[in-house]
Amino acid sequence: MALTRRTTLLAGAALGGAALLSGCAEEARPDPGAAERSAAAERVRTRAARDSRALLARYDATLAAHPGLGARLRVLRDEVAHHIEAFTSGAPSAAPSASAASAASGSAPGVPADERSARAALADAERTLADSRTAALVTAPPELARLLASVAAAGAAHAYLLTEAE
């Protein structure tokens, strides 16, 4: 009988220890969303939104200087405004809206005098920004990396569309 009690006691202790360890393991697991809310991720998001605002200002300046490009540029410009919203939605800090940021940018970037050069300048800006976002993927947490990759791909497509012959 003593052997049965001892076996029962040891089995109970083993089960209790296993339960305790599994409970500790659950607590030790990192919060999967913590990286998305980290200060580093917030810096990447803030920079991405700021860069998109600057690109939006370039589109606005180009549209103001070359109204004839409106049909071609307006859709791309609106996409850039959506990118700002994507980077700022749910962010802890209150970010200005795309139109407010564009209006508040103050000095508009220089726009080339002819339409073809103006489109090429926008394409260069899109390409540079896409490359920057691609480089940021290495340090970004998973969900932010997906967003950066998507927006970088959109920027590369914009660059292509801007340089495509009419």
Side-chain angles (χ1 to χ4, degrees):
M1 203 71 166
L3 185 58
T4 307
R5 282 188 211 160
R6 187 179 304 160
T7 305
T8 304
L9 182 61
L10 287 174
L15 286 173
L20 182 62
L21 287 175
S22 69
C24 290
E26 288 295 320
E27 289 177 24
R29 284 190 189 154
D31 174 11
E36 301 294 332
R37 296 183 305 271
S38 70
E42 184 58 29
R43 284 190 298 274
V44 172
R45 254 189 221 90
T46 300
R47 179 175 182 203
R50 183 191 69 223
D51 291 346
S52 289
R53 285 186 194 101
L55 183 59
L56 185 68
R58 291 186 73 89
Y59 271 97
D60 288 344
T62 303
L63 284 165
H66 300 288
L69 291 174
R72 188 170 190 156
L73 298 185
R74 186 116 7 241
V75 172
L76 302 178
R77 183 234 178 256
D78 291 346
E79 291 262 335
V80 172
H82 289 302
H83 297 163
I84 296 168
E85 292 172 18
F87 286 121
T88 58
S89 68
S93 58
S97 69
S99 58
S102 179
S105 65
S107 62
V111 177
D114 67 289
E115 289 184 358
R116 185 178 181 149
S117 295
R119 284 191 344 234
L122 277 174
D124 287 343
E126 287 274 16
R127 220 175 279 109
T128 300
L129 190 50
D131 291 345
S132 171
R133 289 182 170 149
T134 301
L137 292 174
V138 177
T139 59
E143 288 302 316
L144 181 54
R146 285 182 190 92
L147 177 59
L148 286 167
S150 176
V151 174
H158 291 180
Y160 172 78
L161 292 171
L162 286 163
T163 56
E164 184 180 50
E166 290 183 43

